[in-house]
Structure formats: structure tokens, C-alpha cells
Amino acid sequence: MKLRTIVLKVNPQYPEPEKIREAAKVIEAGGLVAFPTETVYGLGANALDLKAVLRIYEAKKRPPDNPVITHVAHKEDVYRLAREVPDDAEKLMDAFWPGPLTLLLKKARDVPRPGGLDEITIRMPANKIALALIAASKPIAAPSANLSGRPSPTTAEHVLQDLDGRIEMVLDGGPTEIGVESTVLDMTSKPYRILRPGGVTLEDLRRILRDVEVHPAALAKAPTDLAKAPGMKYRHYAPKAPMILVEGKPEDVVRKVKEIAKEHEGEVIGIMATEETAGSYDIGIVKVVGRRSEPRSIARNLFKTLREFDQLGVKLIIAEGMEEKGIGLAISNRLRKAAGYNIINATEGEKG
Ligand code: TXA
Ligand code: MG
């Protein structure tokens, strides 16, 4: 089915009510609307309409066993969607909502889910356009608004690169702030486990609750299908060109990236560097993803930079690894998956 995708520019500070109403009508009718959140753009459908939710899978070409997140605008919706809301979940909602934290809870029996899952993931995004659209609709199911496997979209332009003609509408609210997706936390058993690191960090969560750990698969050091979150087993965030991720101490990383670049002299290669290191390279197309001293700037530009390399048609991307502290855990997770686990440790000099 080829659709004409309508693009509406929306004021991110004061979303125009008539535009929100227009988008809500599309959702109401079972259609698909891409909209900005503070993390990445989401592809929304009425979460309570199973047919509409299945259209998301079709538009994204998403594997049917990878469940989507339900977005709410009011905390009260959580009590309708989940059959148990632990006190600890209340504490996290109070601390981090609206914001980039998704809670995995036991699902209420009357909420439909593709595949009949017994659990549901819920989040309240911190973006005025998203909140206005959800408030004007019912809870909205929304994965990232990219074709399955591609880097997540952080602008309306990225959404169109993947989904033009496949969805009814895009709300263009400008670039997203955080740039990597929300943190997914499994609260169905203790210790609570991060299934996907994201905008709210492990350190942030531990300031509120002691009992939080990182699921080993969330580190994404190697492929796995023991994963609790089905999404963790797929290749994700992948640019078109093959990618090598070089991890280790920054000085070792720079040395190793240069060495690999040299081996590919004469080919069109891209180097994903940081402000601190970019000056060290004299071959390849060098792109600065952000500042090591301010890792949130790296998160913000990460997916955009991968898409830019694609558009330049590079044949290989060599990316510098980042420190795993704070938001760095989410950055490393995305880089490792984008590289298809093609990881070199420059400090230990070993592969893996
Ligand atoms: O920041 C975000 O979370 C963005 C924006 C649009 O809100 N959404 C997003 O959705 O990243 P998506 O579908 O691309 O990623 C959802 C992740 C996947 O890893 C999926 O496997 C996991 O959450 N997930 C969702 N529901 C689940 C469930 N019931 N059980 C286990 N994992 C679940
Ligand atoms: Mg996604």
C-alpha cells in the first residue's frame, strides 16, 4: 500500500491544537502517526486497537515477536494497563516521568497485545507534542519510527527516509534532545534489571532504588537470544556500510583506528570521532559525533552521524568506543549493535 505521507510542522514549545487534533483523528481511525519524543521519533498507533498496532509492524517491517512500548500522558493510565504497580514503580515514576524511562510490568488482562504477551512496557515521554497527542488520543503504542534494523530517527527527515509512503502522517517538531531511546527496566521480579540502557542512567536509578542491575545482554558485548526483551536479539541501529567499533583507552583507540584506516587506504571510509580526537586523523571522512567531556552530546548525534555516513556512501565505518559510565552505557550498547558486534579492544589487543 502506497500512502501519501502528510508532514505537519508543529511548534515544539506550544503545539498547535488544530494540528494535534488532526493527528489524533488519524490515530483514532486506526492510522499511523510519527511524532517526536525527547529520545527519538516514535511511530504511533492506538495501543488498544490490535489491528492498528499490527500496522506498525507492517510499516516498519518489524519482526512480530518484538513488542512495542505503550506511551501514556497520565499516570492513571498505568493502573488500567498494568495489573500490578509495585511501590518501587511509583517511586520511579515520581522521580523520572515524564522522561526516558520505560517500565516493564505485568499486563492487565483486558489489554490486547500482539502475540498475547503477559507483560507490558509503559512510558510517559517528556515532549510537549508527544504528550498533547497522547492526551488527545488513547494510550499510544510506539516503537522508534525507523525501518526495522536501521538507526533510530532523531529528526522528521530521518523518519521520511525510511517510512515516506508507508504511514499517514509525521509531526515535525525538530531534532530530539536525548538521541538514544528510553531505558527499559524490568520490574516484574527482583533485582530489577535494565533490559535496554537509555536516557535514564543506571546511576540515576540507583539513586532512587538500590536493587537495580544491568541484564548481561543489555551490554551487547555479543549477540544473544537468551534475551528477556526480544528486541535484544536482533541486529539494530545498523548503517548500510559494515562498521568496526574500536574500544579501549582513548589513546589506544586513536592508534588502532589510524592503523585500520591505513589498511583501507584508497577506499571511501568514514571515521566516527570525537571533538577531542578528530584532529589525530588525516585519512578518511572524519565526522565529529560529540565531545567525550560531554557524553550527552555524543548520544544526541549518534544515529544522525550513522545516517550521514550512509548518505555519503562510505564503504566502511570505523567508530571510536566510548566510556561506559552514565549515558555512555547506552551509547556503547547502540554502537556495539550498530557494528554487528564487530568489536576490537585496542587496549587488550584482542577481539571480542
Ligand atoms: O525512547 C523510546 O523508548 C522510543 C520512543 C519512541 O518512545 N521507543 C522505542 O521503542 O525505542 P522500540 O520498540 O524501538 O523499543 C522497545 C524495546 C525493545 O527492545 C523491545 O524488545 C522492548 O522494549 N520491549 C517492549 N515491550 C516489551 C515486553 N512486553 N517485554 C519485553 N521487552 C519489551
Ligand atoms: Mg527501535
Side-chain angles (χ1 to χ4, degrees):
M1 179 168 55
K2 173 83 180 162
L3 300 168
R4 195 177 65 87
T5 302
I6 297 168
V7 182
L8 291 185
K9 261 207 184 318
V10 184
N11 184 322
Q13 286 315 314
Y14 306 98
E16 297 85 345
E18 67 281 5
K19 294 182 183 169
I20 297 299
R21 271 197 300 274
E22 215 180 307
K25 266 193 222 157
V26 174
I27 298 278
E28 169 93 53
L32 303 181
V33 177
F35 60 94
T37 78
E38 78 281 33
T39 57
V40 301
Y41 273 70
L43 179 59
N46 178 352
L48 303 177
D49 176 350
L50 192 55
K51 232 174 105 188
V53 174
L54 290 173
R55 275 207 52 214
I56 294 177
Y57 287 79
E58 187 188 309
K60 278 185 59 105
K61 305 184 181 170
R62 185 178 177 97
D65 64 344
N66 190 6
V68 297
I69 295 172
T70 303
H71 294 64
V72 299
H74 309 286
K75 220 174 121 183
E76 297 79 78
D77 285 331
V78 177
Y79 306 103
R80 287 199 277 133
L81 296 165
R83 71 171 179 274
E84 260 170 49
V85 183
D87 288 346
D88 285 344
E90 299 275 356
K91 286 187 194 153
L92 295 182
M93 290 189 263
D94 290 342
F96 300 110
W97 280 12
L101 176 66
T102 297
L103 303 180
L104 176 67
L105 300 170
K106 292 188 178 134
K107 185 183 75 59
R109 285 181 222 292
D110 56 351
V111 174
R113 294 275 83 183
L117 282 178
D118 192 42
E119 287 152 351
I120 186 166
T121 44
I122 310 176
R123 93 173 189 97
M124 186 190 294
N127 175 288
K128 289 181 178 163
I129 298 172
L131 287 172
L133 177 64
I134 301 160
S137 315
K138 302 219 166 56
I140 289 183
S144 48
N146 50 281
L147 280 176
S148 190
R150 301 269 304 132
S152 300
T154 57
T155 64
E157 178 56 37
H158 297 162
V159 175
L160 291 170
Q161 284 171 7
D162 284 13
L163 299 177
D164 193 14
R166 304 179 68 80
I167 62 178
E168 277 82 1
M169 187 177 279
V170 183
L171 300 182
D172 180 354
T176 62
E177 215 175 283
I178 295 179
V180 294
E181 298 86 342
S182 63
T183 303
V184 178
L185 184 69
D186 180 359
M187 300 200 81
T188 59
S189 59
K190 280 193 182 179
Y192 306 130
R193 294 210 283 187
I194 293 179
L195 301 182
R196 179 180 70 183
V200 169
T201 65
L202 174 64
E203 295 86 339
D204 292 336
L205 291 171
R206 283 190 175 154
R207 266 193 290 278
I208 309 292
L209 298 180
R210 238 177 306 148
D211 247 3
V212 179
E213 279 169 17
V214 180
H215 191 294
L219 296 174
K221 291 206 190 231
T224 171
D225 44 31
L226 299 171
K228 165 104 194 186
M232 296 194 292
K233 76 181 183 221
Y234 296 106
R235 177 139 190 248
H236 261 318
Y237 320 115
K240 288 176 184 145
M243 175 166 153
I244 301 172
L245 175 63
V246 182
E247 298 190 325
K249 293 190 199 123
E251 59 275 21
D252 297 333
V253 167
V254 169
R255 181 184 36 76
K256 189 71 189 174
V257 169
K258 278 185 178 168
E259 198 180 300
I260 301 169
K262 193 109 191 116
E263 288 164 15
H264 291 267
E265 206 157 13
E267 296 167 43
V268 189
I269 62 164
I271 297 178
M272 191 160 104
T274 51
E275 211 150 88
E276 288 89 342
T277 57
S280 327
Y281 304 117
D282 51 12
I283 43 176
I285 299 171
V286 181
K287 283 200 170 283
V288 173
V289 64
R291 287 173 295 284
R292 282 175 182 270
S293 60
E294 200 197 325
R296 291 213 168 245
S297 66
I298 296 173
R300 195 174 305 130
N301 294 316
L302 183 62
F303 291 135
K304 180 181 92 170
T305 306
L306 292 177
R307 281 182 184 261
E308 284 170 355
F309 279 130
D310 276 350
Q311 293 195 309
L312 290 166
V314 301
K315 295 292 172 272
L316 174 72
I317 299 169
I318 312 170
E320 295 180 357
M322 306 296 161
E323 223 190 332
E324 270 176 294
K325 273 206 317 249
I327 192 78
L329 187 64
I331 297 169
S332 300
N333 165 289
R334 305 308 186 275
L335 284 170
R336 288 169 183 163
K337 290 186 167 199
Y341 312 101
N342 192 5
I343 307 163
I344 291 173
N345 190 314
T347 300
E348 289 165 17
E350 69 185 35
K351 218 173 165 158

